Amino acid sequence: TFLGRWVRLLEQVSARPELPVGRADILTPEERRQLLADWNDTGRDVPATTLPELFAAQAARTPEATALVAGTERLSYARLDARANRVAHWLIAQGVRPGDTVAVALPRSAELVTVLLATHKAGAAYLPLDLDYPAERTAFMCRDAEPTYVVDDLDLISGILEGEDGDAVAPVVASHPGLPAYVIYTSGSTGRPKGVVVPQRAIVNRLLWMQDEYGLGPDDRVLQKTPSSFDVSVWEFFWPLITGATLVVAEPGGHKDPAYLSRLIQTEGVTTVHFVPSMLDTFLAEESTAHCAGLTRVMCSGEALPADLAARFHDTLPHAELHNLYGPTEAAVDVTFWHSAADSGVVPIGRPVWNTRLYVLDAALRPVAPGAPGELYIAGVQLAHGYLRRPGVTAERFVANPFGAPGERMYRTGDLARWTTDGVLQFLGRADQQVKIRGFRIEPAEIEAALTTHPAVRRALVVARDNNLVAYAVPAEDAEIDLRNLREHLRTTLPDHMIPAAVVPLDRLPLTPNGKVDRAALPVPDFGALVSEGGRGPRSAPEVALCEVFAEVLGVERVGIDDDF
């Protein structure tokens, strides 16, 4: 194959001496057809509908079936539908109209699910506000999105749900597939988070494909544990409710506790669950996980799935299937899928889902040959509308599709990938400075911008090391950097997953001969030595014992009572 490409290159440059080598086409017609047509032959007729219509139809088919389990609360489809209708009427009375945005700041609960359904029934998109985010970040998202209403009071929702039964019928609104379904904020390279606006048609395509591929039935139970600010939560919330399965809602904070999750999966008969690979690793290490006999399918996404982790999964849960999914927030959760078998070796990200086309392109937007690395682009129905009130950034990332119909767009993921000769995609990492830490996609520039707002910091650089964020800070003139004060400063604007695990003060950033930052010369931090910088020691015998235990587990000399684990 390589020799054939070499000959084609020589033929072209000998026939056209003026042709730049970089513009020579080394693909065969068969390869071009495979790359652009055969491996992207994903067309499928999908009804022009919306999530509230799909849920209402399911509630009409199975009114008495259990739709929702949240703690001790059990709601049938008919009751959940009536509750959502009641809240939808109330939202409309507050001025919410089709196409508007409703911000939702509620803990994981039956009321949260009800409000999300109600928002769609009112024709609006929901904007999840994570209760663990700093107040300043939440305030920015509200200023930026300008929601029509903010729902942040559980007692208020409980009062609405005790209203008149006459409000239990669905409101009549002018909803259509082009309206936004949700707005989820991602990290921003300009130092500001940016909201991704995803339409109903995009997520409907995604969920109907998922049902066709994995087939939930009335006996299935799907665990909702992902924070609503992370787009995986979208299919956790809505997939079971449009297919007749049961949605099991984890308690607030429960997604961080593998022992709790294992107990919940067993006691509630959960069959379907999602894990970011790093959390799957922790879940498999939990002793009781092997007893999750009812678990039949586990979805993984958010990070690359290591082959050794997949092998451990099959050893621990041999009765369950493991599926590797891939997709950015800008394309309705996931755009590729792969069933990871026990002996699969390298775990690819797979093939495109319905009505989705994937291109691996070079810098000139030309398809690269199978086996060669290039940047991954996504086209098709699942693309987001773009970034809310960010036309410039939208134009930069959502570009014209040279292989599609006039006016069609494709999304530049910034991820490197390659096609195998069998038409399967393998993920190779990032093409830009963006990083992923424990499933969260992070723009280091946003953290750097937050660091430089501190008066003691003149310049900052953030990199990823061993699945941790490390910040390097150069002090301002005549200033001294107080590490603990600096971390507290960051917590006023950044969520926990964006707080660097270590902050390393430097007199200056190391540079290469051409003046760029020499990342290879950056010192590797001693995470243990940084744990207790400036902290207070234990004040009592129990605190001494506890600090000693933490120090032993973490492998450090000293742990103080101010340290945040």
Side-chain angles (χ1 to χ4, degrees):
T1 302
F2 179 80
L3 291 175
R5 291 174 184 156
W6 176 236
V7 169
R8 283 191 293 279
L9 173 65
L10 293 178
E11 288 174 343
Q12 291 178 71
V13 298
S14 62
R16 296 177 56 197
E18 77 285 358
L19 179 70
V21 173
R23 294 185 184 176
D25 189 355
I26 62 172
L27 296 177
T28 67
E30 180 184 1
E31 286 175 330
R32 181 171 292 278
R33 188 188 69 248
Q34 285 179 327
L35 292 166
L36 298 180
D38 297 350
W39 295 344
N40 279 312
D41 185 12
T42 59
R44 186 70 173 256
D45 289 334
V46 174
T49 186
T50 62
L51 289 183
E53 291 171 329
L54 290 172
F55 171 67
Q58 184 61 52
R61 287 192 296 268
T62 58
E64 300 307 317
T66 302
L68 176 67
V69 173
T72 59
E73 196 166 10
R74 303 287 191 273
L75 296 178
S76 68
Y77 271 87
R79 189 174 173 205
L80 179 59
D81 188 41
R83 286 167 57 122
N85 288 338
R86 189 169 291 132
V87 176
H89 281 288
W90 177 80
L91 288 172
I92 292 171
Q94 310 311 307
V96 174
R97 297 292 180 265
D100 286 354
T101 301
V102 174
V104 182
L106 296 175
R108 191 182 296 115
S109 58
E111 288 80 6
L112 171 61
V113 178
T114 302
V115 170
L116 298 186
L117 289 169
T119 300
H120 282 164
K121 285 174 175 285
Y126 72 86
L127 164 62
L129 299 177
D130 197 314
L131 297 178
D132 291 331
Y133 279 3
E136 185 174 327
R137 189 179 187 87
T138 300
F140 167 81
M141 292 162 65
C142 286
R143 290 194 305 270
D144 189 61
E146 296 182 354
T148 304
Y149 201 86
V150 179
V151 181
D152 60 357
D153 189 337
L154 272 178
D155 293 337
L156 175 63
I157 299 302
S158 297
I160 295 168
L161 295 177
E162 296 172 359
E164 298 296 328
D165 289 339
D167 289 339
V169 296
V172 178
V173 297
S175 181
H176 63 81
L179 286 177
Y182 59 88
V183 179
I184 285 183
Y185 273 74
T186 68
S187 181
S189 59
T190 62
R192 296 191 303 165
K194 53 188 187 293
V196 180
V197 184
V198 177
Q200 287 280 349
R201 67 165 63 92
I203 191 60
V204 164
N205 183 86
R206 167 66 174 73
L207 294 183
L208 294 185
W209 161 80
M210 199 173 196
Q211 177 61 10
D212 183 78
E213 182 66 26
Y214 303 116
L216 286 182
D219 295 330
D220 278 303
R221 290 189 160 202
V222 177
L223 181 60
Q224 202 295 298
K225 66 175 185 60
T226 304
S228 59
S229 56
F230 191 25
D231 66 344
V232 167
S233 67
V234 179
W235 70 252
E236 289 180 341
F237 281 121
F238 298 106
W239 182 27
L241 295 181
I242 67 172
T243 58
T246 300
L247 174 63
V248 177
V249 179
E251 65 183 23
H255 61 286
K256 302 176 182 179
D257 184 348
Y260 163 76
L261 293 175
S262 178
R263 290 195 304 272
L264 184 63
I265 288 170
Q266 294 175 59
T267 57
E268 293 296 347
V270 169
T271 63
T272 306
V273 66
H274 171 273
F275 284 105
V276 172
S278 54
M279 186 58 185
L280 177 63
D281 185 33
T282 305
F283 179 69
L284 294 178
E286 167 60 37
E287 190 174 331
S288 61
T289 293
H291 303 300
C292 296
L295 205 54
T296 59
R297 61 180 74 83
V298 173
M299 311 297 184
C300 261
S301 66
E303 294 171 342
L305 177 59
D308 60 340
L309 179 59
R312 279 183 54 213
F313 171 90
H314 291 294
D315 289 341
T316 307
L317 298 168
H319 55 278
E321 295 180 348
L322 180 62
H323 299 278
N324 191 33
L325 307 177
Y326 162 88
T329 305
E330 290 84 351
V333 193
D334 298 303
V335 293
T336 72
F337 66 105
W338 183 257
H339 180 193
S340 176
D343 58 350
S344 62
V346 174
V347 184
I349 57 175
R351 305 179 191 277
V353 305
W354 285 359
N355 300 308
T356 298
R357 294 177 301 285
L358 304 174
Y359 308 112
V360 181
L361 308 178
D362 64 15
L365 298 184
R366 298 177 309 176
V368 300
E375 187 169 354
L376 183 60
Y377 288 74
I378 303 169
V381 71
Q382 286 191 198
L383 287 193
H385 284 327
Y387 299 114
L388 185 66
R389 308 184 202 283
R390 299 283 196 283
V393 183
T394 298
E396 178 186 338
R397 304 299 294 194
F398 292 83
V399 299
N401 181 5
F403 316 107
E408 187 176 331
R409 305 173 306 152
M410 59 182 184
Y411 172 69
R412 181 182 182 183
T413 67
D415 288 331
L416 296 175
R418 67 174 165 226
W419 289 104
T420 69
T421 54
D422 296 327
V424 175
L425 279 167
Q426 294 178 337
F427 175 78
L428 302 177
R430 291 293 300 177
D432 54 21
Q433 299 301 321
Q434 198 178 84
V435 298
K436 272 198 172 181
I437 302 292
R438 291 177 290 280
F440 291 97
R441 198 176 67 185
I442 296 169
E443 293 276 6
E446 184 176 351
I447 307 173
E448 292 164 2
L451 283 163
T452 54
T453 61
H454 192 284
V457 178
R458 177 169 59 87
R459 191 176 178 195
L461 180 70
V462 176
V463 301
R465 289 187 184 274
D466 301 325
N467 207 31
N468 284 298
L469 289 170
V470 178
Y472 297 89
V474 178
E477 188 174 358
D478 298 326
E480 185 175 341
I481 294 176
D482 182 320
L483 297 181
R484 187 171 297 279
N485 177 268
L486 184 57
R487 290 170 66 84
E488 290 305 316
H489 170 75
L490 292 178
R491 286 195 174 93
T492 65
T493 57
L494 299 176
D496 285 347
H497 65 267
M498 293 179 70
I499 304 296
V503 179
V504 182
L506 295 175
D507 292 336
R508 59 183 179 82
L509 295 177
L511 302 177
T512 63
N514 63 4
K516 295 183 179 181
V517 174
D518 188 353
R519 293 173 180 267
L522 292 168
V524 178
D526 179 353
F527 288 101
L530 293 170
V531 167
S532 303
E533 186 97 23
R536 295 175 295 164
R539 301 161 299 182
S540 62
E543 288 186 356
V544 168
L546 187 61
C547 288
E548 288 177 350
V549 170
F550 269 104
E552 179 182 350
V553 171
L554 294 173
V556 299
E557 292 183 5
R558 178 181 178 275
V559 167
I561 63 173
D562 297 314
D563 292 322
D564 180 3
F565 301 103

